Amino acid sequence: MVENKREKTLFTREEISTRVKELGKELSQVYKDKDLVIISLLRGSFIFAADLVRELSIPVEVDFITTSSYGHAEESSGNVKIVHDLRTNIEGKDVLIVDDIMDSGFTLEKVIEHLQNKNPNSVEVCVMLDKPSRRKVNLSPNYIGFSIPDVFIVGYGLNYGDHYRNIPYIFTFE
Ligand code: 5GP
Ligand code: MG
């Protein structure tokens, strides 16, 4: 697809679907007597969040936050900003932040702190992909689709430059 680069599929559409169903089942149990609000971080998690909420068998509110980080385009710096905030009042509610991938952890650390200030009952994190070897903060997701080594991921919501978010499987370039 990209000149001189060969794709290597890490997770097929079917593998992703199976894992998302499992996560949906687990979360439906965990949050069955709670007041669940899913907060999807744009833009990367829009596909995962859309699939995940459709695997929940419990009531759920859905809202979005957009963050930006300045520095190298493919790597977040410690300087994460909330550029578009929630509209939902989350006071006393049970928040599950949904993101595409935890890399350094700077983004999720910032978002958790931001949401805690709004006095929710609880805040947990679910990511499709976790790259634990890259972590720069003391934080781990509560729920993980797949744990992966330090490779640059594209597809299933994750971009390469301005494109490829729509590719329905997860791949890397060799
Ligand atoms: P962190 O703040 O944890 O370093 O990174 C969070 C964000 O960086 C992710 O939500 C994602 O947007 C981007 N990111 C981190 N690793 C990758 C990757 O392998 N591929 C792509 N496309 N984006 C990534
Ligand atoms: Mg992101």
Side-chain angles (χ1 to χ4, degrees):
M1 277 197 294
V2 170
E3 226 182 318
N4 298 326
K5 289 191 178 187
R6 289 235 328 263
E7 274 182 43
K8 183 182 167 200
T9 302
L10 296 185
F11 303 103
T12 64
R13 201 170 182 160
E14 292 69 32
E15 288 167 332
I16 294 168
S17 168
T18 299
R19 186 67 191 117
V20 172
K21 283 191 171 74
E22 288 169 1
L23 282 171
K25 224 174 172 181
E26 181 181 358
L27 291 167
S28 298
Q29 272 303 314
V30 172
Y31 284 97
K32 72 174 185 296
D33 298 315
K34 304 273 176 91
D35 197 351
L36 176 61
V37 185
I38 292 238
I39 298 177
S40 159
L41 305 193
L42 296 175
R43 287 174 275 178
S45 76
F46 82 112
I47 303 266
F48 175 43
D51 284 348
L52 186 63
V53 295
R54 285 178 291 176
E55 298 300 337
L56 295 175
S57 55
I58 53 170
V60 58
E61 283 183 84
V62 181
D63 205 343
F64 303 89
I65 283 182
T66 304
T67 61
S68 74
S69 81
Y70 300 101
H72 189 272
E74 290 176 357
E75 226 166 88
S76 77
S77 66
N79 192 12
V80 178
K81 296 225 161 26
I82 310 288
V83 299
H84 185 89
D85 203 356
L86 290 183
R87 293 172 60 194
T88 307
N89 178 5
I90 60 168
E91 192 171 339
K93 296 182 185 173
D94 297 286
V95 168
L96 181 66
I97 305 167
V98 171
D99 204 4
D100 50 0
I101 186 165
M102 192 187 286
D103 186 53
S104 69
F106 285 136
T107 303
L108 281 160
E109 183 180 59
K110 170 73 185 189
V111 171
I112 289 169
E113 182 200 314
H114 175 76
L115 294 175
Q116 289 288 12
N117 288 331
K118 297 175 189 280
N119 300 317
N121 183 54
S122 64
V123 177
E124 293 194 313
V125 174
C126 176
V127 295
M128 186 63 204
L129 298 166
D130 186 24
K131 276 192 219 173
S133 64
R134 298 262 304 172
R135 202 76 85 247
K136 299 218 174 65
V137 300
N138 182 24
L139 187 65
S140 308
N142 303 87
Y143 309 92
I144 298 167
F146 301 108
S147 188
I148 56 167
D150 181 11
V151 289
F152 191 75
I153 297 297
V154 189
Y156 199 64
L158 290 128
N159 62 312
Y160 180 78
D162 292 328
H163 296 98
Y164 303 104
R165 293 191 193 274
N166 60 313
I167 304 299
Y169 48 87
I170 294 171
F171 68 99
T172 188
F173 288 111
E174 290 183 301

